[in-house]
Amino acid sequence: MKIAMGNDHAGFPLREVVRGAVEALGHEVVDFGTTTQDSCDYPDVAVVLSRAVAAGECDLGILFCGTGIGMAIAANKVEGVYAARCEDCYAARMARTHNGANVLTFGGRTIGPGLAEDVVTVFLATEPSQDPRHLRRQVKVKQVEAGG
Ligand code: RB5
């Protein structure tokens, strides 16, 4: 898959580790992040990456900031993006199967590199469920997104 990755300064060190894991799994990485630890603003990165995912230019996205929270909030403002901060493997699997999440967010200051690698592996390996009850709930979210 083509995986969009983006980060602010606080997410940069973890992004470097996780990028290696994503590439080792055979995915292509498209980079939207800053490449230093100089301070920058997470919404700038989140929105550009999210638009690329929503447009289908990338299959899935992974965002990193200090906590993973700001990136999730900003990414979820882009129509067609369903971002989930997952810092355990169960949450990552559920975010994909039940919620159809297409962007994963991490906190560079809140999760260690080994667990982050496991979480991203689960997220990328899990397909959204086609169970009607999950699809029905996702449609309700999309209706709100569309202003309904
Ligand atoms: C930057 O210090 C920090 O506020 C940011 O990376 C992120 O954690 C926001 O949610």
Side-chain angles (χ1 to χ4, degrees):
M1 287 189 287
K2 193 179 275 194
I3 308 299
M5 294 185 71
N7 58 281
D8 70 0
H9 55 288
F12 176 62
L14 184 64
R15 192 287 302 269
E16 288 297 90
V17 173
V18 173
R19 176 217 280 268
V22 171
E23 289 176 339
L25 288 167
H27 301 293
E28 178 188 348
V29 170
V30 181
D31 193 4
F32 293 87
T34 183
T35 54
T36 74
Q37 294 190 62
D38 295 340
S39 184
C40 66
D41 298 337
Y42 63 83
D44 297 339
V45 176
V47 169
V48 174
L49 178 145
S50 295
R51 286 181 177 151
V53 172
E57 294 163 15
C58 295
D59 297 297
L60 296 172
I62 310 172
L63 287 165
F64 306 77
C65 60
T67 60
I69 296 169
M71 285 294 195
I73 290 171
N76 278 316
K77 295 299 179 191
V78 175
E79 186 173 356
V81 165
Y82 309 100
R85 176 183 183 266
C86 302
E87 298 199 339
D88 63 75
C89 293
Y90 179 78
R93 197 164 65 252
M94 291 300 106
R96 288 287 288 151
T97 54
H98 285 203
N99 309 115
N102 54 8
V103 171
L104 169 65
T105 75
F106 282 122
R109 296 170 178 160
T110 60
I111 185 171
L115 180 55
E117 287 181 352
D118 284 356
V119 169
V120 82
T121 299
V122 169
F123 189 86
L124 297 181
T126 306
E127 289 295 323
S129 167
Q130 296 307 309
D131 184 320
R133 72 197 155 111
H134 299 312
L135 296 178
R136 181 181 71 241
R137 293 161 187 163
Q138 291 168 28
V139 165
K140 289 186 176 186
V141 172
K142 288 174 181 159
Q143 286 169 344
V144 174
E145 191 177 45

